[in-house]
Amino acid sequence: MRYQELPPRMNCLMLSQAPNEKQSPQRALVVGKDRLISTVVSNLLMPLGYAPISVATGTEVIRLLNGGSFSLIFAAYEGLPINGLALYDFLRERQESRAIPFVLMADLETSIKLTSTRTHLPAMISPPFGHTGLQRAIELAKDPNRGEKGGALEI
């Protein structure tokens, strides 16, 4: 897909976020068993300058994190032997992964339930996923002033 085929607003977003040819893309980890969702999120991350790697289990996440660095983690709430929120909690306990921005992907109902029952949450995004919502969730995940309460609820 060429940039001029996109709507004007999307053009600006994608062109301003396109990786510099001299820069190597930042690595992003996309965690979830649903291949369709992982593919959609990965395809949305690429024009933003990320090189996504999709995995389906928490074990693969730990192996990859032990073997290299990542700039961002997207994890599905459901579908893993442990859910994405448990993975977030686990990674926050580890010094080497605590600072990696984390976005939790959950349906709207689950997102609302989590924000009303938990005090420490990552940034969150709910389907349908689009460039604007994804970019906003990334910004919130990277914002050191956001704190741990109530992540983004992007719909």
Side-chain angles (χ1 to χ4, degrees), residues 70-95:
F70 287 86
S71 302
L72 181 66
I73 298 174
F74 269 79
Y77 177 75
E78 298 173 353
L80 300 173
I82 61 168
N83 70 39
L85 194 54
L87 178 62
Y88 169 77
D89 291 337
F90 174 77
L91 294 176
R92 290 303 167 261
E93 292 175 9
R94 297 180 62 200
Q95 181 66 33

PDB file of all heavy atoms in Angstrom, residues 70-95:
ATOM      1  N   PHE A  70      13.621  -5.114  23.970  1.00  0.00           N
ATOM      2  CA  PHE A  70      12.418  -4.718  23.253  1.00  0.00           C
ATOM      3  C   PHE A  70      12.032  -3.321  23.690  1.00  0.00           C
ATOM      4  O   PHE A  70      12.220  -2.938  24.845  1.00  0.00           O
ATOM      5  CB  PHE A  70      11.270  -5.701  23.523  1.00  0.00           C
ATOM      6  CG  PHE A  70      11.457  -7.013  22.819  1.00  0.00           C
ATOM      7  CD1 PHE A  70      12.201  -8.026  23.403  1.00  0.00           C
ATOM      8  CD2 PHE A  70      10.921  -7.218  21.565  1.00  0.00           C
ATOM      9  CE1 PHE A  70      12.403  -9.225  22.749  1.00  0.00           C
ATOM     10  CE2 PHE A  70      11.122  -8.421  20.900  1.00  0.00           C
ATOM     11  CZ  PHE A  70      11.864  -9.421  21.493  1.00  0.00           C
ATOM     12  N   SER A  71      11.460  -2.569  22.775  1.00  0.00           N
ATOM     13  CA  SER A  71      11.029  -1.205  23.059  1.00  0.00           C
ATOM     14  C   SER A  71       9.578  -1.139  23.499  1.00  0.00           C
ATOM     15  O   SER A  71       9.131  -0.117  24.007  1.00  0.00           O
ATOM     16  CB  SER A  71      11.193  -0.336  21.813  1.00  0.00           C
ATOM     17  OG  SER A  71      12.515  -0.338  21.387  1.00  0.00           O
ATOM     18  N   LEU A  72       8.834  -2.237  23.289  1.00  0.00           N
ATOM     19  CA  LEU A  72       7.395  -2.207  23.529  1.00  0.00           C
ATOM     20  C   LEU A  72       6.860  -3.631  23.602  1.00  0.00           C
ATOM     21  O   LEU A  72       7.354  -4.513  22.895  1.00  0.00           O
ATOM     22  CB  LEU A  72       6.736  -1.473  22.354  1.00  0.00           C
ATOM     23  CG  LEU A  72       5.243  -1.265  22.336  1.00  0.00           C
ATOM     24  CD1 LEU A  72       4.812  -0.341  23.470  1.00  0.00           C
ATOM     25  CD2 LEU A  72       4.826  -0.649  21.004  1.00  0.00           C
ATOM     26  N   ILE A  73       5.853  -3.829  24.457  1.00  0.00           N
ATOM     27  CA  ILE A  73       5.178  -5.126  24.536  1.00  0.00           C
ATOM     28  C   ILE A  73       3.675  -4.899  24.431  1.00  0.00           C
ATOM     29  O   ILE A  73       3.117  -4.072  25.145  1.00  0.00           O
ATOM     30  CB  ILE A  73       5.488  -5.865  25.858  1.00  0.00           C
ATOM     31  CG1 ILE A  73       6.980  -6.171  25.968  1.00  0.00           C
ATOM     32  CG2 ILE A  73       4.664  -7.159  25.956  1.00  0.00           C
ATOM     33  CD1 ILE A  73       7.401  -6.760  27.298  1.00  0.00           C
ATOM     34  N   PHE A  74       3.024  -5.626  23.526  1.00  0.00           N
ATOM     35  CA  PHE A  74       1.570  -5.692  23.418  1.00  0.00           C
ATOM     36  C   PHE A  74       1.184  -7.103  23.826  1.00  0.00           C
ATOM     37  O   PHE A  74       1.750  -8.061  23.301  1.00  0.00           O
ATOM     38  CB  PHE A  74       1.109  -5.471  21.973  1.00  0.00           C
ATOM     39  CG  PHE A  74       0.827  -4.054  21.627  1.00  0.00           C
ATOM     40  CD1 PHE A  74       1.856  -3.182  21.340  1.00  0.00           C
ATOM     41  CD2 PHE A  74      -0.474  -3.584  21.604  1.00  0.00           C
ATOM     42  CE1 PHE A  74       1.601  -1.861  21.018  1.00  0.00           C
ATOM     43  CE2 PHE A  74      -0.745  -2.258  21.279  1.00  0.00           C
ATOM     44  CZ  PHE A  74       0.292  -1.396  20.992  1.00  0.00           C
ATOM     45  N   ALA A  75       0.240  -7.258  24.754  1.00  0.00           N
ATOM     46  CA  ALA A  75      -0.170  -8.594  25.171  1.00  0.00           C
ATOM     47  C   ALA A  75      -1.684  -8.682  25.258  1.00  0.00           C
ATOM     48  O   ALA A  75      -2.338  -7.774  25.769  1.00  0.00           O
ATOM     49  CB  ALA A  75       0.451  -8.956  26.516  1.00  0.00           C
ATOM     50  N   ALA A  76      -2.219  -9.799  24.778  1.00  0.00           N
ATOM     51  CA  ALA A  76      -3.655 -10.045  24.856  1.00  0.00           C
ATOM     52  C   ALA A  76      -4.014 -10.432  26.275  1.00  0.00           C
ATOM     53  O   ALA A  76      -3.267 -11.159  26.944  1.00  0.00           O
ATOM     54  CB  ALA A  76      -4.049 -11.159  23.894  1.00  0.00           C
ATOM     55  N   TYR A  77      -5.160  -9.939  26.747  1.00  0.00           N
ATOM     56  CA  TYR A  77      -5.609 -10.286  28.097  1.00  0.00           C
ATOM     57  C   TYR A  77      -5.924 -11.765  28.186  1.00  0.00           C
ATOM     58  O   TYR A  77      -5.564 -12.427  29.136  1.00  0.00           O
ATOM     59  CB  TYR A  77      -6.840  -9.455  28.476  1.00  0.00           C
ATOM     60  CG  TYR A  77      -7.374  -9.827  29.843  1.00  0.00           C
ATOM     61  CD1 TYR A  77      -6.703  -9.409  30.986  1.00  0.00           C
ATOM     62  CD2 TYR A  77      -8.519 -10.588  29.981  1.00  0.00           C
ATOM     63  CE1 TYR A  77      -7.166  -9.750  32.238  1.00  0.00           C
ATOM     64  CE2 TYR A  77      -8.985 -10.935  31.239  1.00  0.00           C
ATOM     65  CZ  TYR A  77      -8.313 -10.516  32.369  1.00  0.00           C
ATOM     66  OH  TYR A  77      -8.768 -10.864  33.610  1.00  0.00           O
ATOM     67  N   GLU A  78      -6.631 -12.294  27.184  1.00  0.00           N
ATOM     68  CA  GLU A  78      -7.045 -13.690  27.204  1.00  0.00           C
ATOM     69  C   GLU A  78      -6.228 -14.510  26.216  1.00  0.00           C
ATOM     70  O   GLU A  78      -5.632 -13.975  25.304  1.00  0.00           O
ATOM     71  CB  GLU A  78      -8.523 -13.792  26.843  1.00  0.00           C
ATOM     72  CG  GLU A  78      -9.396 -13.066  27.840  1.00  0.00           C
ATOM     73  CD  GLU A  78     -10.847 -12.998  27.418  1.00  0.00           C
ATOM     74  OE1 GLU A  78     -11.170 -13.394  26.287  1.00  0.00           O
ATOM     75  OE2 GLU A  78     -11.642 -12.518  28.229  1.00  0.00           O
ATOM     76  N   GLY A  79      -6.237 -15.816  26.430  1.00  0.00           N
ATOM     77  CA  GLY A  79      -5.667 -16.702  25.434  1.00  0.00           C
ATOM     78  C   GLY A  79      -4.319 -17.294  25.751  1.00  0.00           C
ATOM     79  O   GLY A  79      -3.828 -18.116  25.014  1.00  0.00           O
ATOM     80  N   LEU A  80      -3.694 -16.901  26.826  1.00  0.00           N
ATOM     81  CA  LEU A  80      -2.412 -17.488  27.198  1.00  0.00           C
ATOM     82  C   LEU A  80      -2.630 -18.438  28.374  1.00  0.00           C
ATOM     83  O   LEU A  80      -3.637 -18.343  29.063  1.00  0.00           O
ATOM     84  CB  LEU A  80      -1.430 -16.399  27.640  1.00  0.00           C
ATOM     85  CG  LEU A  80      -1.085 -15.329  26.614  1.00  0.00           C
ATOM     86  CD1 LEU A  80      -0.254 -14.241  27.263  1.00  0.00           C
ATOM     87  CD2 LEU A  80      -0.332 -15.947  25.466  1.00  0.00           C
ATOM     88  N   PRO A  81      -1.658 -19.312  28.635  1.00  0.00           N
ATOM     89  CA  PRO A  81      -1.758 -20.088  29.869  1.00  0.00           C
ATOM     90  C   PRO A  81      -1.880 -19.155  31.091  1.00  0.00           C
ATOM     91  O   PRO A  81      -2.566 -19.459  32.041  1.00  0.00           O
ATOM     92  CB  PRO A  81      -0.468 -20.884  29.909  1.00  0.00           C
ATOM     93  CG  PRO A  81      -0.056 -20.994  28.482  1.00  0.00           C
ATOM     94  CD  PRO A  81      -0.521 -19.709  27.844  1.00  0.00           C
ATOM     95  N   ILE A  82      -1.205 -18.004  31.033  1.00  0.00           N
ATOM     96  CA  ILE A  82      -1.450 -16.936  32.001  1.00  0.00           C
ATOM     97  C   ILE A  82      -1.981 -15.769  31.188  1.00  0.00           C
ATOM     98  O   ILE A  82      -1.616 -15.594  30.035  1.00  0.00           O
ATOM     99  CB  ILE A  82      -0.163 -16.530  32.774  1.00  0.00           C
ATOM    100  CG1 ILE A  82       0.920 -16.016  31.825  1.00  0.00           C
ATOM    101  CG2 ILE A  82       0.350 -17.666  33.617  1.00  0.00           C
ATOM    102  CD1 ILE A  82       2.080 -15.353  32.529  1.00  0.00           C
ATOM    103  N   ASN A  83      -2.869 -14.962  31.775  1.00  0.00           N
ATOM    104  CA  ASN A  83      -3.410 -13.873  30.969  1.00  0.00           C
ATOM    105  C   ASN A  83      -2.411 -12.730  30.869  1.00  0.00           C
ATOM    106  O   ASN A  83      -1.401 -12.682  31.579  1.00  0.00           O
ATOM    107  CB  ASN A  83      -4.782 -13.426  31.483  1.00  0.00           C
ATOM    108  CG  ASN A  83      -4.730 -12.716  32.812  1.00  0.00           C
ATOM    109  OD1 ASN A  83      -3.831 -11.932  33.096  1.00  0.00           O
ATOM    110  ND2 ASN A  83      -5.714 -12.982  33.641  1.00  0.00           N
ATOM    111  N   GLY A  84      -2.705 -11.798  29.972  1.00  0.00           N
ATOM    112  CA  GLY A  84      -1.803 -10.681  29.718  1.00  0.00           C
ATOM    113  C   GLY A  84      -1.564  -9.811  30.933  1.00  0.00           C
ATOM    114  O   GLY A  84      -0.488  -9.244  31.103  1.00  0.00           O
ATOM    115  N   LEU A  85      -2.559  -9.705  31.809  1.00  0.00           N
ATOM    116  CA  LEU A  85      -2.399  -8.911  33.023  1.00  0.00           C
ATOM    117  C   LEU A  85      -1.439  -9.591  33.996  1.00  0.00           C
ATOM    118  O   LEU A  85      -0.598  -8.928  34.624  1.00  0.00           O
ATOM    119  CB  LEU A  85      -3.759  -8.677  33.678  1.00  0.00           C
ATOM    120  CG  LEU A  85      -3.815  -7.621  34.749  1.00  0.00           C
ATOM    121  CD1 LEU A  85      -3.261  -6.281  34.262  1.00  0.00           C
ATOM    122  CD2 LEU A  85      -5.239  -7.445  35.243  1.00  0.00           C
ATOM    123  N   ALA A  86      -1.508 -10.914  34.102  1.00  0.00           N
ATOM    124  CA  ALA A  86      -0.559 -11.655  34.941  1.00  0.00           C
ATOM    125  C   ALA A  86       0.853 -11.527  34.358  1.00  0.00           C
ATOM    126  O   ALA A  86       1.827 -11.403  35.107  1.00  0.00           O
ATOM    127  CB  ALA A  86      -0.969 -13.119  35.038  1.00  0.00           C
ATOM    128  N   LEU A  87       0.970 -11.522  33.034  1.00  0.00           N
ATOM    129  CA  LEU A  87       2.272 -11.328  32.398  1.00  0.00           C
ATOM    130  C   LEU A  87       2.812  -9.938  32.722  1.00  0.00           C
ATOM    131  O   LEU A  87       3.988  -9.775  33.049  1.00  0.00           O
ATOM    132  CB  LEU A  87       2.156 -11.516  30.880  1.00  0.00           C
ATOM    133  CG  LEU A  87       3.420 -11.292  30.068  1.00  0.00           C
ATOM    134  CD1 LEU A  87       4.509 -12.293  30.464  1.00  0.00           C
ATOM    135  CD2 LEU A  87       3.118 -11.398  28.579  1.00  0.00           C
ATOM    136  N   TYR A  88       1.953  -8.926  32.655  1.00  0.00           N
ATOM    137  CA  TYR A  88       2.341  -7.557  33.027  1.00  0.00           C
ATOM    138  C   TYR A  88       2.874  -7.519  34.459  1.00  0.00           C
ATOM    139  O   TYR A  88       3.937  -6.956  34.725  1.00  0.00           O
ATOM    140  CB  TYR A  88       1.138  -6.631  32.863  1.00  0.00           C
ATOM    141  CG  TYR A  88       1.324  -5.258  33.447  1.00  0.00           C
ATOM    142  CD1 TYR A  88       2.087  -4.302  32.779  1.00  0.00           C
ATOM    143  CD2 TYR A  88       0.732  -4.905  34.650  1.00  0.00           C
ATOM    144  CE1 TYR A  88       2.260  -3.028  33.308  1.00  0.00           C
ATOM    145  CE2 TYR A  88       0.889  -3.642  35.182  1.00  0.00           C
ATOM    146  CZ  TYR A  88       1.660  -2.711  34.510  1.00  0.00           C
ATOM    147  OH  TYR A  88       1.830  -1.448  35.036  1.00  0.00           O
ATOM    148  N   ASP A  89       2.129  -8.123  35.392  1.00  0.00           N
ATOM    149  CA  ASP A  89       2.553  -8.143  36.797  1.00  0.00           C
ATOM    150  C   ASP A  89       3.912  -8.828  36.944  1.00  0.00           C
ATOM    151  O   ASP A  89       4.795  -8.340  37.651  1.00  0.00           O
ATOM    152  CB  ASP A  89       1.516  -8.844  37.668  1.00  0.00           C
ATOM    153  CG  ASP A  89       0.224  -8.058  37.796  1.00  0.00           C
ATOM    154  OD1 ASP A  89       0.246  -6.821  37.594  1.00  0.00           O
ATOM    155  OD2 ASP A  89      -0.815  -8.684  38.091  1.00  0.00           O
ATOM    156  N   PHE A  90       4.072  -9.960  36.269  1.00  0.00           N
ATOM    157  CA  PHE A  90       5.331 -10.703  36.344  1.00  0.00           C
ATOM    158  C   PHE A  90       6.497  -9.866  35.806  1.00  0.00           C
ATOM    159  O   PHE A  90       7.562  -9.791  36.433  1.00  0.00           O
ATOM    160  CB  PHE A  90       5.214 -12.009  35.557  1.00  0.00           C
ATOM    161  CG  PHE A  90       6.504 -12.772  35.459  1.00  0.00           C
ATOM    162  CD1 PHE A  90       6.979 -13.509  36.541  1.00  0.00           C
ATOM    163  CD2 PHE A  90       7.248 -12.737  34.295  1.00  0.00           C
ATOM    164  CE1 PHE A  90       8.180 -14.197  36.456  1.00  0.00           C
ATOM    165  CE2 PHE A  90       8.451 -13.424  34.200  1.00  0.00           C
ATOM    166  CZ  PHE A  90       8.918 -14.160  35.286  1.00  0.00           C
ATOM    167  N   LEU A  91       6.291  -9.219  34.659  1.00  0.00           N
ATOM    168  CA  LEU A  91       7.365  -8.427  34.057  1.00  0.00           C
ATOM    169  C   LEU A  91       7.701  -7.202  34.902  1.00  0.00           C
ATOM    170  O   LEU A  91       8.853  -6.750  34.919  1.00  0.00           O
ATOM    171  CB  LEU A  91       6.991  -8.007  32.638  1.00  0.00           C
ATOM    172  CG  LEU A  91       6.870  -9.158  31.627  1.00  0.00           C
ATOM    173  CD1 LEU A  91       6.402  -8.640  30.284  1.00  0.00           C
ATOM    174  CD2 LEU A  91       8.180  -9.918  31.503  1.00  0.00           C
ATOM    175  N   ARG A  92       6.747  -6.652  35.616  1.00  0.00           N
ATOM    176  CA  ARG A  92       7.004  -5.490  36.475  1.00  0.00           C
ATOM    177  C   ARG A  92       7.825  -5.867  37.700  1.00  0.00           C
ATOM    178  O   ARG A  92       8.466  -5.023  38.313  1.00  0.00           O
ATOM    179  CB  ARG A  92       5.688  -4.820  36.918  1.00  0.00           C
ATOM    180  CG  ARG A  92       4.973  -4.101  35.788  1.00  0.00           C
ATOM    181  CD  ARG A  92       5.885  -3.047  35.162  1.00  0.00           C
ATOM    182  NE  ARG A  92       5.434  -2.506  33.907  1.00  0.00           N
ATOM    183  CZ  ARG A  92       5.868  -2.881  32.707  1.00  0.00           C
ATOM    184  NH1 ARG A  92       6.729  -3.843  32.556  1.00  0.00           N
ATOM    185  NH2 ARG A  92       5.443  -2.291  31.613  1.00  0.00           N
ATOM    186  N   GLU A  93       7.808  -7.124  38.074  1.00  0.00           N
ATOM    187  CA  GLU A  93       8.607  -7.596  39.211  1.00  0.00           C
ATOM    188  C   GLU A  93      10.068  -7.809  38.825  1.00  0.00           C
ATOM    189  O   GLU A  93      10.931  -7.845  39.699  1.00  0.00           O
ATOM    190  CB  GLU A  93       8.026  -8.898  39.772  1.00  0.00           C
ATOM    191  CG  GLU A  93       6.683  -8.701  40.435  1.00  0.00           C
ATOM    192  CD  GLU A  93       6.069 -10.006  40.881  1.00  0.00           C
ATOM    193  OE1 GLU A  93       6.753 -11.060  40.837  1.00  0.00           O
ATOM    194  OE2 GLU A  93       4.884  -9.985  41.256  1.00  0.00           O
ATOM    195  N   ARG A  94      10.341  -7.956  37.552  1.00  0.00           N
ATOM    196  CA  ARG A  94      11.703  -8.184  37.075  1.00  0.00           C
ATOM    197  C   ARG A  94      12.358  -6.844  36.740  1.00  0.00           C
ATOM    198  O   ARG A  94      11.841  -6.074  35.948  1.00  0.00           O
ATOM    199  CB  ARG A  94      11.690  -9.050  35.808  1.00  0.00           C
ATOM    200  CG  ARG A  94      11.126 -10.420  36.032  1.00  0.00           C
ATOM    201  CD  ARG A  94      11.129 -11.217  34.755  1.00  0.00           C
ATOM    202  NE  ARG A  94      12.506 -11.383  34.316  1.00  0.00           N
ATOM    203  CZ  ARG A  94      12.866 -11.681  33.078  1.00  0.00           C
ATOM    204  NH1 ARG A  94      11.976 -11.830  32.146  1.00  0.00           N
ATOM    205  NH2 ARG A  94      14.129 -11.815  32.756  1.00  0.00           N
ATOM    206  N   GLN A  95      13.489  -6.571  37.329  1.00  0.00           N
ATOM    207  CA  GLN A  95      14.194  -5.305  37.122  1.00  0.00           C
ATOM    208  C   GLN A  95      14.479  -5.043  35.643  1.00  0.00           C
ATOM    209  O   GLN A  95      14.279  -3.936  35.149  1.00  0.00           O
ATOM    210  CB  GLN A  95      15.509  -5.304  37.922  1.00  0.00           C
ATOM    211  CG  GLN A  95      16.302  -4.032  37.810  1.00  0.00           C
ATOM    212  CD  GLN A  95      15.590  -2.846  38.446  1.00  0.00           C
ATOM    213  OE1 GLN A  95      14.888  -2.989  39.423  1.00  0.00           O
ATOM    214  NE2 GLN A  95      15.780  -1.670  37.878  1.00  0.00           N
TER     215      GLN A  95
END
